[in-house]
Amino acid sequence: ELQQKVEETELLKMELQMLETERVRLSLVEEKLMDVLQLLQQLRDLNISKRALGKILLSTLESCRDPQPGKAQLLEVLDTLQQELTACELLHRQPLEQAQSPRSLSNPLVISC
């Protein structure tokens, strides 16, 4: 009976460790997604064309077509999208202060279509 309790405890410890690992992974994905959404908001405020934004997205998806081993595909796509958006010329033409829209939204990360 004692051996069974020890095994159950070890199993629970492993499950807890897996849950903690997943929590950290999700936290990283959430942070990266927030960064990408902020960049998209800045580009929207600069009136980037849908065509240019579509090219950035297609370029991102094309470069992530073959996932790299050992790297989560979702995080890889978000990383690549963030790099593509950050490299966008429009973001570098104006200072960040001018890129902000004067209108205020209840949630600045909401992007209207």
Side-chain angles (χ1 to χ4, degrees):
E1 187 176 320
L2 183 61
Q3 180 64 26
Q4 184 181 0
K5 293 287 185 187
V6 168
E7 289 173 4
E8 287 176 10
T9 302
E10 289 300 316
L11 184 61
L12 288 173
K13 283 181 182 178
M14 285 177 27
E15 286 181 24
L16 182 62
Q17 185 177 9
M18 288 177 8
L19 285 173
E20 181 62 21
T21 301
E22 184 66 11
R23 185 192 68 77
V24 169
R25 186 188 73 80
L26 288 174
S27 178
L28 291 172
V29 168
E30 180 183 25
E31 286 177 27
K32 188 62 66 175
L33 187 55
M34 292 297 288
D35 291 343
V36 166
L37 289 174
Q38 287 174 344
L39 288 168
L40 286 170
Q41 179 70 42
Q42 290 174 16
L43 288 172
R44 187 189 82 169
D45 291 343
L46 292 171
N47 295 322
I48 187 172
S49 72
K50 291 178 184 178
R51 185 177 199 166
L53 192 56
K55 285 181 180 182
I56 291 171
L57 183 58
L58 288 174
S59 172
T60 298
L61 294 175
E62 182 65 31
S63 59
C64 295
R65 177 179 280 177
D66 299 320
Q68 296 176 1
K71 189 170 185 181
Q73 188 171 8
L74 176 63
L75 197 54
E76 180 182 354
V77 170
L78 286 174
D79 278 340
T80 305
L81 182 56
Q82 182 186 23
Q83 291 168 4
E84 293 277 342
L85 291 171
T86 301
C88 183
E89 291 177 12
L90 282 176
L91 286 176
H92 301 290
R93 286 188 190 161
Q94 298 179 4
L96 188 58
E97 297 81 37
Q98 292 177 355
Q100 297 300 319
S101 173
R103 60 190 151 98
S104 93
L105 299 171
S106 59
N107 183 351
L109 298 179
V110 173
I111 299 172
S112 61
C113 296

